[in-house]
Structures are given as C-alpha cells and as structure tokens.
Amino acid sequence: TQTTAGRPINEPGQRKQRAQITARTLRTDRWWLAPAITFAALASFLVYGFWAIFDKSYFVEPYIAPFSSPCLATSCPEGARFLGLAPFGDWWTLPPGILILGLPAGFRLTCYYYRKGYYRAFWLSPPACSVAEPHKKYTGETRLPLILQNIHRYFFYGAILIALVLTWDAVLALRDANGNWGHVGLGTVILWINVVLIWAYTLSCHSCRHITAGRLNHFSKHPVRYKMWTFVSKLNRRHMLLAWLSMYSVMIADLYVRLVAKGIVNFPFA
Ligand code: FES
C-alpha cells in the first residue's frame, strides 16, 4: 500500500521500515530561503574579514578596529599596542590581525549555532529538514576533522579574553586624541554597542551555560552558580539572534574605524 506521494504505509503487524522516497524532498515551501540567506550573510562576513585583516588603516586615536585588536606586533603604532605590549618582533611580517585571528574565528567556527548554519548553507548536509543531502555518507562529528568541533569550550575561554580586550578598547575610546577622558564620538558609541553585543553573544554560548552549572545535581547547594546559570540561560535562548547581531556589529565597528582612519569619514564627533 502506498500514499499518493509514493510512500509505503506499514500495515498493522508489518515490520516498520523507512519510507522509500525517490524525490529529494516533498516539501513545497521555500525551504531553500534560509540556507541561501545564511550563505550570503556568512560569505559577506568572510569576504569583509579577509579584506580587513590585510588592511593597514586599523588605528586612529582613540579607536582601534576590532579585527586588529589586540595589536601585539612591533609593527603596531605606539598608541595601538595593547597595554603597550609588542611581544611579536619585527620578524613577523604578516598583518597584526592575523596573530589573534584564531581565537574569534575558532570560536565562531565551532559555535553550535554557526555549525548548524554552515552545515546547511555550505555543505548542504542537509540543506533543510526533510530535504535529502547530496552526500552519500553521513558520519556526523564522530571523526576527523569534524570531531575537532568539540574543542569549542576552549575557544570559549579565548573568546572571553577577546571580549575583555574589546572592552578595554571601548574604555580607551572615551579619551580624546590628547588623552583627556570624557570624549564621546560616534566611534565611541559604535564600539560600546559592539562590545555589549559581543559579551551577550559570548555569555549566551552553550558551553558557558554548561560551565556555569552543568552537572550540578543540587542547585540549592550552589546559589551563586544557579543565579549565573539562570542569567546565561536567558541569553542562551537568544543565541542565534545574538550570533547575527554581534557578527554585524563587529563588522560595522571595524569598518567605521577604518573609514575614520582613512579620512573617508571626517566630521566633528566622528
Ligand atoms: Fe555558539 Fe558557544 S555555542 S558560541
């Protein structure tokens, strides 16, 4: 017996079997829209990031572009160096942004939400629910290289460091070019909005939620961890939204600083 769509129906007492569907999908809605949008958005972020990492206009008092911070090479201008440090010597000829790229890139690449996004949008594995994937085999994240996705928790610790650095950059953006505190330019506002969204995204991480109170059997015995977990859980519900907002906020903040540094944006209170 078959349905009108050609799927076999199990008769009572018959052994259950998977539906043998020849069509790639029986979905009639626009299931391709979400992966297509994800593809375009992530691809634009990658293209921008590639350009930004090699762009040299990343610093203008008192702002530093987030993609190039912390600036840790001797090629960094004096005021751009993080806490005045420059542990990477002149032998390092690549742009300073590359030195620290691994932490934020690794954090987003191994993020549970982004994984879902790019598995669907780039690898079509599968492109959407109830849509067959083009690949013959499915091994999930059980072997190399995808088993490495499990190191996400360690990238989370690195992301905390990056968020602290960006917070420090936002604090320094409250000084004017002469070092006097109290400056509030458009760049200051943009950097602060970005750092708030970066913190919200970082703390909404699933690993963070597990770190705060995962494996606890008795919340009542750990009231502080329970409170932290409650807070993180609220953010966690918005993790997807925060992933997108923070991705665009960091891109906008980075671009803005570079435009000011290049003199393209040039108005009072820039
Ligand atoms: Fe998305 Fe950790 S799960 S950042």
Side-chain angles (χ1 to χ4, degrees):
T1 315
Q2 290 191 335
T3 64
T4 47
R7 285 175 292 173
I9 297 173
N10 294 312
E11 301 292 350
Q14 193 183 352
R15 225 172 114 243
K16 283 207 165 138
Q17 60 177 20
R18 272 185 95 170
Q20 300 301 309
I21 306 170
T22 45
R24 184 155 175 235
T25 182
L26 301 177
R27 285 180 67 167
T28 52
D29 61 335
R30 286 187 290 173
W31 57 265
W32 46 267
L33 193 57
I37 292 173
T38 308
F39 179 87
L42 290 181
S44 66
F45 183 69
L46 291 177
V47 170
Y48 175 79
F50 189 77
W51 169 78
I53 220 77
F54 288 97
D55 178 58
K56 295 207 167 85
S57 309
Y58 54 82
F59 178 66
V60 55
E61 288 279 9
Y63 310 134
I64 181 162
F67 278 30
S68 298
S69 182
C71 211
L72 295 170
T74 44
S75 61
C76 303
E78 192 76 25
R81 291 182 191 171
F82 182 65
L83 301 176
L85 303 171
F88 298 99
D90 284 332
W91 56 269
W92 191 269
T93 52
L94 289 171
I98 286 191
L99 293 169
I100 46 96
L101 179 67
L103 290 183
F107 185 52
R108 293 211 180 230
L109 201 68
T110 58
C111 163
Y112 295 13
Y113 169 66
Y114 282 114
R115 269 143 76 173
K116 172 189 159 193
Y118 66 78
Y119 285 168
R120 290 185 174 192
F122 285 78
W123 290 357
L124 311 175
S125 178
C129 289
S130 304
V131 181
E133 57 182 301
H135 312 284
K136 292 221 168 63
K137 264 200 329 196
Y138 176 77
T139 54
E141 295 173 335
T142 57
R143 51 178 83 164
L144 280 170
L146 292 185
I147 198 167
L148 294 176
Q149 301 277 31
N150 287 311
I151 58 176
H152 180 63
R153 163 179 293 230
Y154 300 101
F155 279 120
F156 167 74
Y157 297 129
I160 291 282
L161 294 179
I162 295 293
L164 286 171
V165 169
L166 296 184
T167 307
W168 180 240
D169 291 343
V171 169
L172 294 183
L174 290 164
R175 299 180 314 174
D176 62 20
N178 300 319
N180 301 315
W181 292 98
H183 162 85
V184 179
L186 180 56
T188 316
V189 175
I190 290 176
L191 287 182
W192 272 103
I193 291 173
N194 175 50
V195 88
V196 168
L197 288 171
I198 290 285
W199 272 114
Y201 167 63
T202 306
L203 295 179
S204 71
C205 168
H206 293 66
S207 291
C208 176
R209 188 165 176 261
H210 187 259
I211 289 163
T212 50
R215 295 180 184 231
L216 283 189
N217 288 330
H218 305 287
F219 280 144
S220 56
K221 288 187 186 155
H222 304 272
V224 176
R225 290 183 67 183
Y226 176 64
K227 274 219 164 354
M228 287 163 61
W229 179 82
T230 311
F231 172 71
V232 169
S233 296
K234 278 188 191 145
L235 285 177
N236 183 257
R237 282 201 283 274
R238 308 249 182 281
H239 191 57
M240 180 180 86
L241 178 68
L242 292 168
W244 286 115
L245 290 179
S246 62
M247 193 181 92
Y248 277 98
S249 75
V250 76
M251 200 154 63
I252 290 168
D254 191 88
L255 179 63
Y256 181 80
V257 173
R258 288 173 201 276
L259 292 180
V260 176
K262 288 175 192 301
I264 296 171
V265 169
N266 184 12
F267 55 83
F269 305 112

PDB file of all heavy atoms in Angstrom, residues 83-118:
ATOM      1  N   LEU A  83      48.067  47.479  25.906  1.00  0.00           N
ATOM      2  CA  LEU A  83      48.800  47.736  27.148  1.00  0.00           C
ATOM      3  C   LEU A  83      50.277  48.043  26.881  1.00  0.00           C
ATOM      4  O   LEU A  83      51.142  47.777  27.720  1.00  0.00           O
ATOM      5  CB  LEU A  83      48.692  46.531  28.104  1.00  0.00           C
ATOM      6  CG  LEU A  83      47.261  46.137  28.525  1.00  0.00           C
ATOM      7  CD1 LEU A  83      47.284  44.884  29.394  1.00  0.00           C
ATOM      8  CD2 LEU A  83      46.563  47.269  29.257  1.00  0.00           C
ATOM      9  N   GLY A  84      50.553  48.587  25.696  1.00  0.00           N
ATOM     10  CA  GLY A  84      51.935  48.944  25.344  1.00  0.00           C
ATOM     11  C   GLY A  84      52.801  47.743  25.000  1.00  0.00           C
ATOM     12  O   GLY A  84      54.007  47.878  24.791  1.00  0.00           O
ATOM     13  N   LEU A  85      52.208  46.548  24.947  1.00  0.00           N
ATOM     14  CA  LEU A  85      52.987  45.330  24.702  1.00  0.00           C
ATOM     15  C   LEU A  85      53.174  45.083  23.210  1.00  0.00           C
ATOM     16  O   LEU A  85      52.301  45.409  22.408  1.00  0.00           O
ATOM     17  CB  LEU A  85      52.275  44.110  25.311  1.00  0.00           C
ATOM     18  CG  LEU A  85      51.973  44.180  26.806  1.00  0.00           C
ATOM     19  CD1 LEU A  85      51.074  43.027  27.206  1.00  0.00           C
ATOM     20  CD2 LEU A  85      53.265  44.127  27.597  1.00  0.00           C
ATOM     21  N   ALA A  86      54.307  44.509  22.882  1.00  0.00           N
ATOM     22  CA  ALA A  86      54.547  44.105  21.486  1.00  0.00           C
ATOM     23  C   ALA A  86      55.422  42.853  21.498  1.00  0.00           C
ATOM     24  O   ALA A  86      56.593  42.897  21.126  1.00  0.00           O
ATOM     25  CB  ALA A  86      55.202  45.235  20.716  1.00  0.00           C
ATOM     26  N   PRO A  87      54.857  41.731  21.947  1.00  0.00           N
ATOM     27  CA  PRO A  87      55.683  40.520  22.083  1.00  0.00           C
ATOM     28  C   PRO A  87      56.117  39.904  20.762  1.00  0.00           C
ATOM     29  O   PRO A  87      57.018  39.081  20.748  1.00  0.00           O
ATOM     30  CB  PRO A  87      54.763  39.561  22.851  1.00  0.00           C
ATOM     31  CG  PRO A  87      53.387  40.052  22.600  1.00  0.00           C
ATOM     32  CD  PRO A  87      53.477  41.522  22.375  1.00  0.00           C
ATOM     33  N   PHE A  88      55.490  40.290  19.663  1.00  0.00           N
ATOM     34  CA  PHE A  88      55.874  39.719  18.370  1.00  0.00           C
ATOM     35  C   PHE A  88      56.786  40.696  17.634  1.00  0.00           C
ATOM     36  O   PHE A  88      56.406  41.825  17.350  1.00  0.00           O
ATOM     37  CB  PHE A  88      54.631  39.408  17.531  1.00  0.00           C
ATOM     38  CG  PHE A  88      53.751  38.383  18.191  1.00  0.00           C
ATOM     39  CD1 PHE A  88      52.632  38.775  18.903  1.00  0.00           C
ATOM     40  CD2 PHE A  88      54.068  37.034  18.124  1.00  0.00           C
ATOM     41  CE1 PHE A  88      51.827  37.836  19.520  1.00  0.00           C
ATOM     42  CE2 PHE A  88      53.271  36.094  18.746  1.00  0.00           C
ATOM     43  CZ  PHE A  88      52.151  36.491  19.459  1.00  0.00           C
ATOM     44  N   GLY A  89      57.980  40.264  17.368  1.00  0.00           N
ATOM     45  CA  GLY A  89      59.019  41.174  16.869  1.00  0.00           C
ATOM     46  C   GLY A  89      58.910  41.520  15.397  1.00  0.00           C
ATOM     47  O   GLY A  89      57.946  41.184  14.721  1.00  0.00           O
ATOM     48  N   ASP A  90      59.953  42.209  14.929  1.00  0.00           N
ATOM     49  CA  ASP A  90      59.982  42.683  13.544  1.00  0.00           C
ATOM     50  C   ASP A  90      60.000  41.552  12.527  1.00  0.00           C
ATOM     51  O   ASP A  90      59.656  41.750  11.373  1.00  0.00           O
ATOM     52  CB  ASP A  90      61.221  43.551  13.314  1.00  0.00           C
ATOM     53  CG  ASP A  90      61.025  44.919  13.923  1.00  0.00           C
ATOM     54  OD1 ASP A  90      59.863  45.350  14.005  1.00  0.00           O
ATOM     55  OD2 ASP A  90      62.015  45.526  14.337  1.00  0.00           O
ATOM     56  N   TRP A  91      60.417  40.371  12.990  1.00  0.00           N
ATOM     57  CA  TRP A  91      60.474  39.248  12.061  1.00  0.00           C
ATOM     58  C   TRP A  91      59.088  38.891  11.566  1.00  0.00           C
ATOM     59  O   TRP A  91      58.923  38.259  10.540  1.00  0.00           O
ATOM     60  CB  TRP A  91      61.111  38.032  12.739  1.00  0.00           C
ATOM     61  CG  TRP A  91      60.403  37.617  13.998  1.00  0.00           C
ATOM     62  CD1 TRP A  91      60.685  38.040  15.259  1.00  0.00           C
ATOM     63  CD2 TRP A  91      59.294  36.728  14.114  1.00  0.00           C
ATOM     64  NE1 TRP A  91      59.822  37.479  16.161  1.00  0.00           N
ATOM     65  CE2 TRP A  91      58.956  36.663  15.479  1.00  0.00           C
ATOM     66  CE3 TRP A  91      58.554  35.983  13.204  1.00  0.00           C
ATOM     67  CZ2 TRP A  91      57.907  35.881  15.949  1.00  0.00           C
ATOM     68  CZ3 TRP A  91      57.508  35.209  13.684  1.00  0.00           C
ATOM     69  CH2 TRP A  91      57.194  35.163  15.040  1.00  0.00           C
ATOM     70  N   TRP A  92      58.064  39.343  12.300  1.00  0.00           N
ATOM     71  CA  TRP A  92      56.703  38.998  11.911  1.00  0.00           C
ATOM     72  C   TRP A  92      56.220  39.982  10.868  1.00  0.00           C
ATOM     73  O   TRP A  92      56.047  41.154  11.156  1.00  0.00           O
ATOM     74  CB  TRP A  92      55.787  39.015  13.142  1.00  0.00           C
ATOM     75  CG  TRP A  92      54.470  38.409  12.804  1.00  0.00           C
ATOM     76  CD1 TRP A  92      53.377  39.055  12.339  1.00  0.00           C
ATOM     77  CD2 TRP A  92      54.120  37.036  12.870  1.00  0.00           C
ATOM     78  NE1 TRP A  92      52.369  38.185  12.100  1.00  0.00           N
ATOM     79  CE2 TRP A  92      52.795  36.920  12.432  1.00  0.00           C
ATOM     80  CE3 TRP A  92      54.797  35.879  13.250  1.00  0.00           C
ATOM     81  CZ2 TRP A  92      52.139  35.700  12.360  1.00  0.00           C
ATOM     82  CZ3 TRP A  92      54.124  34.682  13.190  1.00  0.00           C
ATOM     83  CH2 TRP A  92      52.825  34.605  12.745  1.00  0.00           C
ATOM     84  N   THR A  93      56.053  39.529   9.655  1.00  0.00           N
ATOM     85  CA  THR A  93      55.722  40.475   8.590  1.00  0.00           C
ATOM     86  C   THR A  93      54.234  40.466   8.224  1.00  0.00           C
ATOM     87  O   THR A  93      53.768  41.320   7.495  1.00  0.00           O
ATOM     88  CB  THR A  93      56.522  40.145   7.316  1.00  0.00           C
ATOM     89  OG1 THR A  93      56.331  38.763   7.020  1.00  0.00           O
ATOM     90  CG2 THR A  93      57.998  40.432   7.510  1.00  0.00           C
ATOM     91  N   LEU A  94      53.498  39.494   8.745  1.00  0.00           N
ATOM     92  CA  LEU A  94      52.072  39.442   8.416  1.00  0.00           C
ATOM     93  C   LEU A  94      51.315  40.501   9.218  1.00  0.00           C
ATOM     94  O   LEU A  94      51.796  40.974  10.248  1.00  0.00           O
ATOM     95  CB  LEU A  94      51.517  38.055   8.722  1.00  0.00           C
ATOM     96  CG  LEU A  94      51.995  36.958   7.769  1.00  0.00           C
ATOM     97  CD1 LEU A  94      51.567  35.598   8.275  1.00  0.00           C
ATOM     98  CD2 LEU A  94      51.465  37.190   6.368  1.00  0.00           C
ATOM     99  N   PRO A  95      50.111  40.893   8.773  1.00  0.00           N
ATOM    100  CA  PRO A  95      49.363  41.926   9.493  1.00  0.00           C
ATOM    101  C   PRO A  95      49.069  41.482  10.933  1.00  0.00           C
ATOM    102  O   PRO A  95      48.845  40.288  11.184  1.00  0.00           O
ATOM    103  CB  PRO A  95      48.054  42.045   8.714  1.00  0.00           C
ATOM    104  CG  PRO A  95      48.302  41.373   7.422  1.00  0.00           C
ATOM    105  CD  PRO A  95      49.394  40.392   7.603  1.00  0.00           C
ATOM    106  N   PRO A  96      49.057  42.443  11.877  1.00  0.00           N
ATOM    107  CA  PRO A  96      48.856  42.098  13.294  1.00  0.00           C
ATOM    108  C   PRO A  96      47.554  41.332  13.550  1.00  0.00           C
ATOM    109  O   PRO A  96      47.497  40.486  14.436  1.00  0.00           O
ATOM    110  CB  PRO A  96      48.824  43.456  13.998  1.00  0.00           C
ATOM    111  CG  PRO A  96      49.405  44.420  13.050  1.00  0.00           C
ATOM    112  CD  PRO A  96      49.251  43.880  11.678  1.00  0.00           C
ATOM    113  N   GLY A  97      46.523  41.612  12.745  1.00  0.00           N
ATOM    114  CA  GLY A  97      45.232  40.951  12.956  1.00  0.00           C
ATOM    115  C   GLY A  97      45.316  39.434  12.843  1.00  0.00           C
ATOM    116  O   GLY A  97      44.578  38.704  13.493  1.00  0.00           O
ATOM    117  N   ILE A  98      46.244  38.960  12.021  1.00  0.00           N
ATOM    118  CA  ILE A  98      46.369  37.514  11.810  1.00  0.00           C
ATOM    119  C   ILE A  98      46.845  36.810  13.085  1.00  0.00           C
ATOM    120  O   ILE A  98      46.489  35.663  13.344  1.00  0.00           O
ATOM    121  CB  ILE A  98      47.330  37.236  10.623  1.00  0.00           C
ATOM    122  CG1 ILE A  98      46.600  37.587   9.341  1.00  0.00           C
ATOM    123  CG2 ILE A  98      47.816  35.792  10.605  1.00  0.00           C
ATOM    124  CD1 ILE A  98      47.263  37.142   8.085  1.00  0.00           C
ATOM    125  N   LEU A  99      47.629  37.533  13.878  1.00  0.00           N
ATOM    126  CA  LEU A  99      48.157  36.935  15.107  1.00  0.00           C
ATOM    127  C   LEU A  99      47.061  36.466  16.047  1.00  0.00           C
ATOM    128  O   LEU A  99      47.206  35.478  16.754  1.00  0.00           O
ATOM    129  CB  LEU A  99      49.039  37.951  15.843  1.00  0.00           C
ATOM    130  CG  LEU A  99      50.343  38.330  15.150  1.00  0.00           C
ATOM    131  CD1 LEU A  99      50.959  39.518  15.848  1.00  0.00           C
ATOM    132  CD2 LEU A  99      51.292  37.145  15.178  1.00  0.00           C
ATOM    133  N   ILE A 100      45.949  37.201  16.060  1.00  0.00           N
ATOM    134  CA  ILE A 100      44.910  36.880  17.046  1.00  0.00           C
ATOM    135  C   ILE A 100      43.650  36.333  16.391  1.00  0.00           C
ATOM    136  O   ILE A 100      42.680  36.008  17.072  1.00  0.00           O
ATOM    137  CB  ILE A 100      44.562  38.128  17.909  1.00  0.00           C
ATOM    138  CG1 ILE A 100      44.377  39.383  17.029  1.00  0.00           C
ATOM    139  CG2 ILE A 100      45.658  38.390  18.907  1.00  0.00           C
ATOM    140  CD1 ILE A 100      43.007  39.684  16.679  1.00  0.00           C
ATOM    141  N   LEU A 101      43.712  36.194  15.065  1.00  0.00           N
ATOM    142  CA  LEU A 101      42.523  35.777  14.320  1.00  0.00           C
ATOM    143  C   LEU A 101      41.965  34.433  14.805  1.00  0.00           C
ATOM    144  O   LEU A 101      40.757  34.221  14.844  1.00  0.00           O
ATOM    145  CB  LEU A 101      42.882  35.686  12.830  1.00  0.00           C
ATOM    146  CG  LEU A 101      41.777  35.231  11.886  1.00  0.00           C
ATOM    147  CD1 LEU A 101      40.670  36.282  11.837  1.00  0.00           C
ATOM    148  CD2 LEU A 101      42.333  35.006  10.488  1.00  0.00           C
ATOM    149  N   GLY A 102      42.858  33.527  15.197  1.00  0.00           N
ATOM    150  CA  GLY A 102      42.449  32.166  15.547  1.00  0.00           C
ATOM    151  C   GLY A 102      41.407  32.107  16.648  1.00  0.00           C
ATOM    152  O   GLY A 102      40.504  31.259  16.604  1.00  0.00           O
ATOM    153  N   LEU A 103      41.492  33.009  17.625  1.00  0.00           N
ATOM    154  CA  LEU A 103      40.558  32.915  18.759  1.00  0.00           C
ATOM    155  C   LEU A 103      39.120  33.253  18.371  1.00  0.00           C
ATOM    156  O   LEU A 103      38.229  32.408  18.513  1.00  0.00           O
ATOM    157  CB  LEU A 103      41.033  33.801  19.908  1.00  0.00           C
ATOM    158  CG  LEU A 103      42.292  33.313  20.633  1.00  0.00           C
ATOM    159  CD1 LEU A 103      42.623  34.221  21.798  1.00  0.00           C
ATOM    160  CD2 LEU A 103      42.111  31.890  21.121  1.00  0.00           C
ATOM    161  N   PRO A 104      38.853  34.485  17.861  1.00  0.00           N
ATOM    162  CA  PRO A 104      37.462  34.762  17.493  1.00  0.00           C
ATOM    163  C   PRO A 104      36.966  33.899  16.340  1.00  0.00           C
ATOM    164  O   PRO A 104      35.810  33.460  16.340  1.00  0.00           O
ATOM    165  CB  PRO A 104      37.466  36.248  17.110  1.00  0.00           C
ATOM    166  CG  PRO A 104      38.885  36.616  16.876  1.00  0.00           C
ATOM    167  CD  PRO A 104      39.723  35.662  17.677  1.00  0.00           C
ATOM    168  N   ALA A 105      37.852  33.600  15.363  1.00  0.00           N
ATOM    169  CA  ALA A 105      37.417  32.786  14.218  1.00  0.00           C
ATOM    170  C   ALA A 105      37.100  31.371  14.689  1.00  0.00           C
ATOM    171  O   ALA A 105      36.078  30.790  14.305  1.00  0.00           O
ATOM    172  CB  ALA A 105      38.498  32.773  13.147  1.00  0.00           C
ATOM    173  N   GLY A 106      37.962  30.805  15.543  1.00  0.00           N
ATOM    174  CA  GLY A 106      37.726  29.458  16.046  1.00  0.00           C
ATOM    175  C   GLY A 106      36.465  29.379  16.886  1.00  0.00           C
ATOM    176  O   GLY A 106      35.711  28.403  16.838  1.00  0.00           O
ATOM    177  N   PHE A 107      36.206  30.432  17.647  1.00  0.00           N
ATOM    178  CA  PHE A 107      35.013  30.471  18.498  1.00  0.00           C
ATOM    179  C   PHE A 107      33.751  30.430  17.642  1.00  0.00           C
ATOM    180  O   PHE A 107      32.836  29.649  17.887  1.00  0.00           O
ATOM    181  CB  PHE A 107      35.052  31.741  19.342  1.00  0.00           C
ATOM    182  CG  PHE A 107      33.948  31.848  20.351  1.00  0.00           C
ATOM    183  CD1 PHE A 107      33.693  30.812  21.243  1.00  0.00           C
ATOM    184  CD2 PHE A 107      33.178  33.007  20.446  1.00  0.00           C
ATOM    185  CE1 PHE A 107      32.685  30.910  22.184  1.00  0.00           C
ATOM    186  CE2 PHE A 107      32.177  33.118  21.395  1.00  0.00           C
ATOM    187  CZ  PHE A 107      31.918  32.070  22.258  1.00  0.00           C
ATOM    188  N   ARG A 108      33.720  31.253  16.596  1.00  0.00           N
ATOM    189  CA  ARG A 108      32.510  31.289  15.756  1.00  0.00           C
ATOM    190  C   ARG A 108      32.413  30.035  14.886  1.00  0.00           C
ATOM    191  O   ARG A 108      31.326  29.510  14.665  1.00  0.00           O
ATOM    192  CB  ARG A 108      32.516  32.541  14.879  1.00  0.00           C
ATOM    193  CG  ARG A 108      32.376  33.800  15.720  1.00  0.00           C
ATOM    194  CD  ARG A 108      31.677  34.934  15.048  1.00  0.00           C
ATOM    195  NE  ARG A 108      31.628  36.057  15.979  1.00  0.00           N
ATOM    196  CZ  ARG A 108      30.539  36.737  16.281  1.00  0.00           C
ATOM    197  NH1 ARG A 108      29.395  36.432  15.736  1.00  0.00           N
ATOM    198  NH2 ARG A 108      30.589  37.739  17.137  1.00  0.00           N
ATOM    199  N   LEU A 109      33.552  29.573  14.403  1.00  0.00           N
ATOM    200  CA  LEU A 109      33.544  28.394  13.529  1.00  0.00           C
ATOM    201  C   LEU A 109      33.015  27.156  14.255  1.00  0.00           C
ATOM    202  O   LEU A 109      32.340  26.320  13.666  1.00  0.00           O
ATOM    203  CB  LEU A 109      34.970  28.128  13.034  1.00  0.00           C
ATOM    204  CG  LEU A 109      35.100  27.292  11.781  1.00  0.00           C
ATOM    205  CD1 LEU A 109      34.560  28.045  10.576  1.00  0.00           C
ATOM    206  CD2 LEU A 109      36.568  26.934  11.531  1.00  0.00           C
ATOM    207  N   THR A 110      33.329  27.039  15.539  1.00  0.00           N
ATOM    208  CA  THR A 110      32.905  25.846  16.284  1.00  0.00           C
ATOM    209  C   THR A 110      31.618  26.080  17.083  1.00  0.00           C
ATOM    210  O   THR A 110      31.163  25.175  17.786  1.00  0.00           O
ATOM    211  CB  THR A 110      34.015  25.386  17.262  1.00  0.00           C
ATOM    212  OG1 THR A 110      34.313  26.469  18.147  1.00  0.00           O
ATOM    213  CG2 THR A 110      35.271  24.959  16.530  1.00  0.00           C
ATOM    214  N   CYS A 111      31.058  27.280  16.987  1.00  0.00           N
ATOM    215  CA  CYS A 111      29.804  27.602  17.690  1.00  0.00           C
ATOM    216  C   CYS A 111      28.687  26.648  17.239  1.00  0.00           C
ATOM    217  O   CYS A 111      28.547  26.356  16.051  1.00  0.00           O
ATOM    218  CB  CYS A 111      29.420  29.044  17.372  1.00  0.00           C
ATOM    219  SG  CYS A 111      27.714  29.468  17.719  1.00  0.00           S
ATOM    220  N   TYR A 112      27.894  26.181  18.182  1.00  0.00           N
ATOM    221  CA  TYR A 112      26.825  25.227  17.842  1.00  0.00           C
ATOM    222  C   TYR A 112      25.870  25.816  16.806  1.00  0.00           C
ATOM    223  O   TYR A 112      25.414  25.133  15.901  1.00  0.00           O
ATOM    224  CB  TYR A 112      26.016  24.836  19.085  1.00  0.00           C
ATOM    225  CG  TYR A 112      26.770  24.071  20.125  1.00  0.00           C
ATOM    226  CD1 TYR A 112      28.155  23.968  20.092  1.00  0.00           C
ATOM    227  CD2 TYR A 112      26.104  23.432  21.159  1.00  0.00           C
ATOM    228  CE1 TYR A 112      28.847  23.272  21.055  1.00  0.00           C
ATOM    229  CE2 TYR A 112      26.786  22.720  22.133  1.00  0.00           C
ATOM    230  CZ  TYR A 112      28.159  22.650  22.079  1.00  0.00           C
ATOM    231  OH  TYR A 112      28.831  21.968  23.030  1.00  0.00           O
ATOM    232  N   TYR A 113      25.556  27.100  16.970  1.00  0.00           N
ATOM    233  CA  TYR A 113      24.600  27.695  16.037  1.00  0.00           C
ATOM    234  C   TYR A 113      25.207  27.841  14.644  1.00  0.00           C
ATOM    235  O   TYR A 113      24.588  27.478  13.643  1.00  0.00           O
ATOM    236  CB  TYR A 113      24.079  29.054  16.528  1.00  0.00           C
ATOM    237  CG  TYR A 113      23.331  29.709  15.395  1.00  0.00           C
ATOM    238  CD1 TYR A 113      22.149  29.137  14.932  1.00  0.00           C
ATOM    239  CD2 TYR A 113      23.851  30.787  14.694  1.00  0.00           C
ATOM    240  CE1 TYR A 113      21.487  29.638  13.823  1.00  0.00           C
ATOM    241  CE2 TYR A 113      23.201  31.299  13.590  1.00  0.00           C
ATOM    242  CZ  TYR A 113      22.016  30.721  13.166  1.00  0.00           C
ATOM    243  OH  TYR A 113      21.384  31.207  12.071  1.00  0.00           O
ATOM    244  N   TYR A 114      26.428  28.387  14.579  1.00  0.00           N
ATOM    245  CA  TYR A 114      27.042  28.564  13.256  1.00  0.00           C
ATOM    246  C   TYR A 114      27.255  27.225  12.564  1.00  0.00           C
ATOM    247  O   TYR A 114      27.178  27.127  11.340  1.00  0.00           O
ATOM    248  CB  TYR A 114      28.377  29.304  13.371  1.00  0.00           C
ATOM    249  CG  TYR A 114      28.221  30.791  13.561  1.00  0.00           C
ATOM    250  CD1 TYR A 114      28.616  31.410  14.735  1.00  0.00           C
ATOM    251  CD2 TYR A 114      27.676  31.592  12.564  1.00  0.00           C
ATOM    252  CE1 TYR A 114      28.481  32.770  14.926  1.00  0.00           C
ATOM    253  CE2 TYR A 114      27.533  32.954  12.733  1.00  0.00           C
ATOM    254  CZ  TYR A 114      27.937  33.545  13.924  1.00  0.00           C
ATOM    255  OH  TYR A 114      27.789  34.896  14.094  1.00  0.00           O
ATOM    256  N   ARG A 115      27.554  26.197  13.354  1.00  0.00           N
ATOM    257  CA  ARG A 115      27.715  24.872  12.760  1.00  0.00           C
ATOM    258  C   ARG A 115      26.446  24.487  12.010  1.00  0.00           C
ATOM    259  O   ARG A 115      26.480  24.058  10.851  1.00  0.00           O
ATOM    260  CB  ARG A 115      28.027  23.835  13.844  1.00  0.00           C
ATOM    261  CG  ARG A 115      29.507  23.679  14.072  1.00  0.00           C
ATOM    262  CD  ARG A 115      29.846  23.459  15.498  1.00  0.00           C
ATOM    263  NE  ARG A 115      29.577  22.124  15.973  1.00  0.00           N
ATOM    264  CZ  ARG A 115      29.946  21.710  17.191  1.00  0.00           C
ATOM    265  NH1 ARG A 115      30.613  22.518  17.992  1.00  0.00           N
ATOM    266  NH2 ARG A 115      29.672  20.503  17.595  1.00  0.00           N
ATOM    267  N   LYS A 116      25.349  24.641  12.697  1.00  0.00           N
ATOM    268  CA  LYS A 116      24.072  24.338  12.028  1.00  0.00           C
ATOM    269  C   LYS A 116      23.933  25.184  10.758  1.00  0.00           C
ATOM    270  O   LYS A 116      23.563  24.681   9.697  1.00  0.00           O
ATOM    271  CB  LYS A 116      22.915  24.643  12.984  1.00  0.00           C
ATOM    272  CG  LYS A 116      21.558  24.533  12.321  1.00  0.00           C
ATOM    273  CD  LYS A 116      20.479  25.064  13.245  1.00  0.00           C
ATOM    274  CE  LYS A 116      19.248  25.443  12.456  1.00  0.00           C
ATOM    275  NZ  LYS A 116      18.282  26.221  13.214  1.00  0.00           N
ATOM    276  N   GLY A 117      24.275  26.473  10.890  1.00  0.00           N
ATOM    277  CA  GLY A 117      24.129  27.388   9.762  1.00  0.00           C
ATOM    278  C   GLY A 117      24.976  26.972   8.565  1.00  0.00           C
ATOM    279  O   GLY A 117      24.474  26.845   7.453  1.00  0.00           O
ATOM    280  N   TYR A 118      26.273  26.738   8.800  1.00  0.00           N
ATOM    281  CA  TYR A 118      27.104  26.469   7.609  1.00  0.00           C
ATOM    282  C   TYR A 118      27.044  25.013   7.154  1.00  0.00           C
ATOM    283  O   TYR A 118      27.307  24.722   6.004  1.00  0.00           O
ATOM    284  CB  TYR A 118      28.539  27.000   7.765  1.00  0.00           C
ATOM    285  CG  TYR A 118      29.442  26.381   8.801  1.00  0.00           C
ATOM    286  CD1 TYR A 118      30.062  25.156   8.586  1.00  0.00           C
ATOM    287  CD2 TYR A 118      29.732  27.053   9.977  1.00  0.00           C
ATOM    288  CE1 TYR A 118      30.939  24.612   9.517  1.00  0.00           C
ATOM    289  CE2 TYR A 118      30.596  26.516  10.924  1.00  0.00           C
ATOM    290  CZ  TYR A 118      31.194  25.290  10.691  1.00  0.00           C
ATOM    291  OH  TYR A 118      32.050  24.751  11.628  1.00  0.00           O
TER     292      TYR A 118
END
